[in-house]
């Protein structure tokens, strides 16, 4: 099994970790039947891939065996933005018969977290993800792992996510605050529902940070700046 190094430390701080613990807990409350999760969004650049990857890492922190699957076969940024997996074979190569299953499942520095990259962009992603090979792979991953977190392209732009969702237990929509109109979100929700996949909820990303500032002041006052300050980093863009 190939091994890659994920670069997630720059995205982690106390408040980010707490947010993903909440998301992780809410996912667990959905029940043990929801193991294969489709993460999608309405539009590009809403933070979908980051949220999917950080959720995967958060689940692995509580000793759940997790595989993150990058199914954005059109325009993936995971391999170049989050790790050193540029030369590792991925999903498009496996579905095209150019790589084996053993070649595409990569381990990471996190004990319980594996990852499958998208691989090179291909001209026929929908056809590949409708294949029996893809369906069989997802079934096998569901048996092997506690959670299969699948990052898919924005459903508001292309149909890929709905195709993948047919093989998932549930779906989560990522919505960028102040950017996505209600009409867009409703249209994406309707399209996702047509796949027959249950929508578990939505994640509001890029929300107002005034609430975060309030909690920083609260925790500093309650615990004392000297004791708790190492959990309170400088303001960061998420």
């Amino acid at each position: 099994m190939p091994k890659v190094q994920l670069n997630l430390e720059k995205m982690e701080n106390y408040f980010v970790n707490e947010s993903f613990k909440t998301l992780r807990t809410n996912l667990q409350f959905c029940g043990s039947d929801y193991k294969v999760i489709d993460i999608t969004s309405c539009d590009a650049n809403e933070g979908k891939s980051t949220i999917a990857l950080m959720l995967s890492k958060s689940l692995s922190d509580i000793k759940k065996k997790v595989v993150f699957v990058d199914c954005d076969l059109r325009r993936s940024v995971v391999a170049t933005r989050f790790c050193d997996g540029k030369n590792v074979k991925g999903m498009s190569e496996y579905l095209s018969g150019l790589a084996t299953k053993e070649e595409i499942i990569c381990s990471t520095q996190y004990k319980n977290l594996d990852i499958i990259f998208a691989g090179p962009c291909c001209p026929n992603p929908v056809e590949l993800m409708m294949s029996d090979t893809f369906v069989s792979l997802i079934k096998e991953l569901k048996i092997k792992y506690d959670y299969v977190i699948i990052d898919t392209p924005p459903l508001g732009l292309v149909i890929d996510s709905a195709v993948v969702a047919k093989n998932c237990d549930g779906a989560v929509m990522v919505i960028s605050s102040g950017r996505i109109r209600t009409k867009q979100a409703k249209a994406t929700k309707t399209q996702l529902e047509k796949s027959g996949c249950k929508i578990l909820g939505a994640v509001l990303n890029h929300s107002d940070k005034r609430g975060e500032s309030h909690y920083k002041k609260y925790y500093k006052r309650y615990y004392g700046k000297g004791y708790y300050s190492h959990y309170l980093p400088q303001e960061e863009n998420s």
Side-chain angles (χ1 to χ4, degrees), residues 13-138:
N13 62 45
Y14 172 79
F15 297 99
V16 168
N17 290 336
E18 287 300 303
S19 295
F20 281 104
K21 285 179 184 178
T22 300
L23 178 58
R24 175 186 75 195
T25 301
N26 289 340
L27 178 58
Q28 290 181 290
F29 280 155
C30 290
S32 58
D33 292 336
Y34 295 97
K35 298 181 62 175
V36 184
I37 310 299
D38 179 2
I39 309 291
T40 190
S41 61
C42 302
D43 204 349
N45 302 315
E46 292 193 70
K48 167 185 57 64
S49 297
T50 300
I51 287 172
L53 190 54
M54 292 297 289
L55 173 60
S56 300
K57 195 265 182 184
S58 185
L59 286 164
S60 74
D61 288 341
I62 55 172
K63 299 183 180 180
K64 297 295 183 182
K65 191 166 178 58
V66 184
V67 59
F68 171 91
V69 183
D70 186 358
C71 279
D72 190 345
L73 305 188
R74 298 175 186 265
R75 187 191 165 195
S76 175
V77 297
V78 174
T80 54
R81 182 178 295 176
F82 298 111
C83 63
D84 57 357
K86 296 179 181 179
N87 299 317
V88 177
K89 293 184 178 181
M91 181 65 78
S92 62
E93 292 160 303
Y94 173 72
L95 297 178
S96 300
L98 302 176
T100 65
K101 191 187 315 172
E102 291 72 24
E103 289 178 304
I104 65 168
I105 302 177
C106 303
S107 63
T108 71
Q109 73 268 36
Y110 304 108
K111 183 179 179 180
N112 299 305
L113 178 59
D114 293 340
I115 186 169
I116 297 177
F117 294 104
C121 294
C122 58
N124 58 335
V126 173
E127 288 77 6
L128 290 178
M129 288 184 288
M130 290 179 66
S131 67
D132 292 339
T133 303
F134 179 77
V135 175
S136 297
L137 175 63
I138 298 302

Side-chain angles (χ1 to χ4, degrees), residues 50-238:
T50 300
I51 287 172
L53 190 54
M54 292 297 289
L55 173 60
S56 300
K57 195 265 182 184
S58 185
L59 286 164
S60 74
D61 288 341
I62 55 172
K63 299 183 180 180
K64 297 295 183 182
K65 191 166 178 58
V66 184
V67 59
F68 171 91
V69 183
D70 186 358
C71 279
D72 190 345
L73 305 188
R74 298 175 186 265
R75 187 191 165 195
S76 175
V77 297
V78 174
T80 54
R81 182 178 295 176
F82 298 111
C83 63
D84 57 357
K86 296 179 181 179
N87 299 317
V88 177
K89 293 184 178 181
M91 181 65 78
S92 62
E93 292 160 303
Y94 173 72
L95 297 178
S96 300
L98 302 176
T100 65
K101 191 187 315 172
E102 291 72 24
E103 289 178 304
I104 65 168
I105 302 177
C106 303
S107 63
T108 71
Q109 73 268 36
Y110 304 108
K111 183 179 179 180
N112 299 305
L113 178 59
D114 293 340
I115 186 169
I116 297 177
F117 294 104
C121 294
C122 58
N124 58 335
V126 173
E127 288 77 6
L128 290 178
M129 288 184 288
M130 290 179 66
S131 67
D132 292 339
T133 303
F134 179 77
V135 175
S136 297
L137 175 63
I138 298 302
K139 288 180 178 178
E140 290 180 37
L141 294 176
K142 185 175 181 178
I143 295 171
K144 182 178 179 181
Y145 293 90
D146 296 315
Y147 285 98
V148 181
I149 306 297
I150 305 181
D151 178 24
T152 59
L155 187 52
L157 299 179
V158 291
I159 199 64
D160 305 33
S161 183
V163 173
V164 173
K166 291 181 180 180
N167 303 291
C168 298
D169 301 320
V172 174
M173 288 175 55
V174 175
I175 300 175
S176 184
S177 177
R179 176 181 169 188
I180 300 302
R181 296 178 180 273
T182 303
K183 185 177 180 180
Q184 286 178 279
K186 286 183 176 180
T188 301
K189 175 177 175 290
T190 299
Q191 187 64 61
L192 196 54
E193 288 173 335
K194 290 179 180 178
S195 71
C197 182
K198 182 175 181 179
I199 300 176
L200 302 180
V203 175
L204 185 65
N205 199 23
H206 303 129
S207 58
D208 194 331
K209 290 192 173 184
R210 285 178 294 182
E212 180 179 307
S213 299
H214 167 76
Y215 284 110
K216 283 187 176 183
K217 291 178 182 177
Y218 172 81
Y219 279 111
K220 283 183 179 180
R221 182 172 67 250
Y222 187 80
Y223 286 99
K225 185 175 180 180
Y227 176 79
Y228 220 66
S229 59
H230 63 292
Y231 287 109
L232 303 169
Q234 297 295 318
E235 288 283 345
E236 295 179 6
N237 294 324
S238 61

